[in-house]
Amino acid sequence: MKILVVDDFSTMRRIIKNLLRDLGFTNTQEADDGNTALPLLQAGSFDFLVTDWNMPGMQGIDLLKAVRADAKLKTMPVLMVTAESKREQIIEAAQAGVNGYIVKPFTAATLNEKLQKIFDRIDG
Amino acid sequence: MMTLSNKEQLSKTINQTRDLLAHLENNEIEDAQEMIDSLATSGDDDLFIEIGKLTRNLHEALTNFQMDSRITDLAASEIPDAKERLNYVIEKTEEAANKTMDKVESCTQRSNTMAKDSEELLVEWKKLYNRELEPGDFRKLCNKIETHLQKNKNDADDLHGELTEVLMAQDYQDLTGQVIRQVITLVHDVEESMVHIIKMFGSMDGYNKAKGEVLIREGVEGPVVNAEVRNDVVQGQDEVDDLLSSLGF
């Protein structure tokens, strides 16, 4: 399982990568916004996307929409990890086809739970 | 009371002034002197009122001038300085976060190794209990246990050292807290200056009305610091989950 972690803050990318590693996902790569993430995703071989919403350049919601609009990427599971907490934003992300939504600050247990839920759905 | 704003009084004064000018131009000094005396006595009230007005204008002009220089200071040096201070906060917090994560990663690695070594040792220890150990292996096991205990002691010392460094990395809170407090004071000063300007040139009604409203930003806004007074945001992960499940997630 190869995971791309997208966040403009390197510390947050590092936290998520550490938590993912503890959960057994050691194959991760990083990008700092949608503009750098999309070419990496299109170049292939990623199975999962974890992205922030509020980033300079291309925002997470636009990255999600771009992924869903891309024939090769559209089925990729996307987990949003963000401080954006307006109801209308969560609804927008849901309508854009997000698979999970975590609001910051979050815990390791929450990340684990949401990942598990997404995998269960894919398997089931 | 007679004032210059009184129309009748105003035209009277204009006429008197014209007469005075005519006397002066015609070199009729005595007549001019008489006019000045009568103007001076009859206009006592007006004069004082005018002086009062001038004094007030002067006072306001001085106050404005002081405020202008305050605003100049704020714009020219204090706000750029505040930006630098806030950048310092970003640097310090990032530094502390990375330092802490360096140490945590190192501790995690160490604890993983400790667990793995102990597990291997336990397998052999159980063999000893089950009398499955070859006679020659007993000595090897003893050596391994001694090495393991010695390594554990060293690792525990190292862990302690790394945890102390994690502790020390938290000094950013004190340093950044002080800087942020200074910036809060500055923001307060800017607020006061702006209220002053509104009082003089704008509408206090509009200000008071806007003051009571809860600020809601359009689009992305980052962490919400006043979630408890807002009803357009979720209060935490549970509410996100509830909202998503209501949408069929």
Side-chain angles (χ1 to χ4, degrees):
Chain A
M1 166 82 50
K2 191 171 170 190
I3 303 176
L4 183 65
V5 179
V6 190
D7 197 304
D8 53 331
F9 276 86
S10 64
T11 44
M12 186 47 71
R13 293 199 298 269
R14 202 169 162 189
I15 289 172
I16 293 173
K17 279 184 76 173
N18 266 294
L19 291 174
L20 288 173
R21 200 189 47 222
D22 282 351
L23 295 170
F25 303 104
T26 49
N27 193 1
T28 51
Q29 220 177 312
E30 301 176 32
D32 59 6
D33 83 326
N35 287 328
T36 49
L38 197 55
L40 285 172
L41 290 167
Q42 281 163 341
S45 79
F46 283 99
D47 307 293
F48 200 101
L49 170 63
V50 178
T51 182
D52 185 18
W53 183 316
N54 189 7
M55 295 177 287
M58 191 199 261
Q59 305 225 332
I61 188 72
D62 298 320
L63 177 62
L64 169 64
K65 287 173 184 169
V67 165
R68 289 291 173 257
D70 186 304
K72 272 195 278 177
L73 301 174
K74 63 182 178 191
T75 58
M76 179 179 291
V78 179
L79 174 63
M80 203 155 237
V81 181
T82 173
E84 298 304 316
S85 53
K86 282 208 259 289
R87 287 171 199 281
E88 60 178 44
Q89 287 176 305
I90 298 165
I91 294 167
E92 187 186 353
Q95 284 167 346
V98 82
N99 299 81
Y101 198 103
I102 296 177
V103 280
K104 295 176 189 169
F106 65 100
T107 64
T110 303
L111 181 66
N112 192 11
E113 181 199 323
K114 301 306 167 201
L115 284 173
Q116 210 48 60
K117 207 172 162 189
I118 294 171
F119 293 138
D120 288 350
R121 261 197 205 165
I122 296 169
D123 295 341
Chain B
M1 192 189 287
M2 289 191 291
T3 69
L4 280 181
S5 55
N6 179 318
K7 255 186 178 174
E8 203 179 317
Q9 180 63 30
L10 185 64
S11 67
K12 192 183 157 201
T13 310
I14 291 169
N15 287 334
Q16 283 174 322
T17 314
R18 278 204 190 106
D19 292 346
L20 172 63
L21 197 61
H23 288 311
L24 285 172
E25 277 169 352
N26 297 330
N27 218 9
E28 297 158 0
I29 302 303
E30 271 181 34
D31 292 334
Q33 186 62 55
E34 212 170 287
M35 290 247 28
I36 289 170
D37 290 346
S38 88
L39 266 174
T41 48
S42 76
D44 267 359
D45 286 349
D46 294 349
L47 190 65
F48 285 123
I49 286 163
E50 284 313 297
I51 289 174
K53 276 186 192 165
L54 278 174
T55 311
R56 198 163 62 228
N57 287 345
L58 187 63
H59 177 77
E60 269 177 21
L62 279 173
T63 318
N64 290 352
F65 177 74
Q66 275 169 356
M67 205 182 64
D68 281 350
S69 71
R70 178 78 187 110
I71 288 173
T72 310
D73 286 349
L74 284 172
S77 57
E78 290 183 44
I79 287 178
D81 183 57
K83 285 195 279 185
E84 238 173 81
R85 285 168 192 274
L86 291 178
N87 274 323
Y88 169 86
V89 171
I90 294 180
E91 276 167 31
K92 277 286 155 195
T93 49
E94 188 179 348
E95 210 177 90
N98 280 320
K99 205 168 165 188
T100 304
M101 284 191 283
D102 284 345
K103 295 300 151 196
V104 168
E105 281 172 12
S106 157
C107 286
T108 307
Q109 226 168 8
R110 219 180 276 277
S111 77
N112 285 344
T113 316
M114 282 164 87
K116 197 169 146 269
D117 288 353
S118 300
E119 229 167 275
E120 284 172 8
L121 215 50
L122 268 174
V123 172
E124 293 192 50
W125 187 250
K126 273 177 191 151
K127 275 189 192 164
L128 175 71
Y129 266 98
N130 297 339
R131 299 171 194 279
E132 290 166 4
L133 216 58
E134 301 292 321
D137 287 345
F138 180 69
R139 181 171 288 279
K140 279 187 199 160
L141 178 60
C142 286
N143 283 339
K144 272 187 187 171
I145 288 174
E146 194 187 342
T147 313
H148 181 75
L149 291 175
Q150 187 59 51
K151 194 166 167 284
N152 256 9
K153 195 204 162 300
N154 293 343
D155 278 345
D157 288 346
D158 289 347
L159 277 179
H160 186 252
E162 288 184 304
L163 288 173
T164 305
E165 285 187 61
V166 168
L167 176 77
M168 292 317 291
Q170 310 312 308
D171 68 352
Y172 81 92
Q173 213 283 328
D174 170 28
L175 300 172
T176 59
Q178 290 184 45
V179 170
I180 289 172
R181 257 193 217 118
Q182 290 163 346
V183 176
I184 289 174
T185 308
L186 171 67
V187 170
H188 178 77
D189 287 357
V190 171
E191 183 186 350
E192 278 195 336
S193 289
M194 289 172 78
V195 172
H196 197 153
I197 292 171
I198 294 166
K199 260 185 200 156
M200 294 203 326
F201 305 112
S203 144
M204 278 312 274
D205 287 347
Y207 168 77
N208 287 326
K209 187 168 165 271
K211 205 179 173 188
E213 287 165 8
V214 176
L215 180 69
I216 294 170
R217 282 175 218 285
E218 289 292 313
V220 290
E221 63 170 326
V224 175
V225 294
N226 57 347
E228 63 287 348
V229 297
R230 301 228 339 226
N231 49 25
D232 63 324
V233 298
V234 292
Q235 307 283 333
Q237 190 62 42
D238 287 346
E239 287 190 20
V240 177
D241 296 348
D242 289 347
L243 178 59
L244 287 178
S245 69
S246 78
L247 294 168
F249 261 70

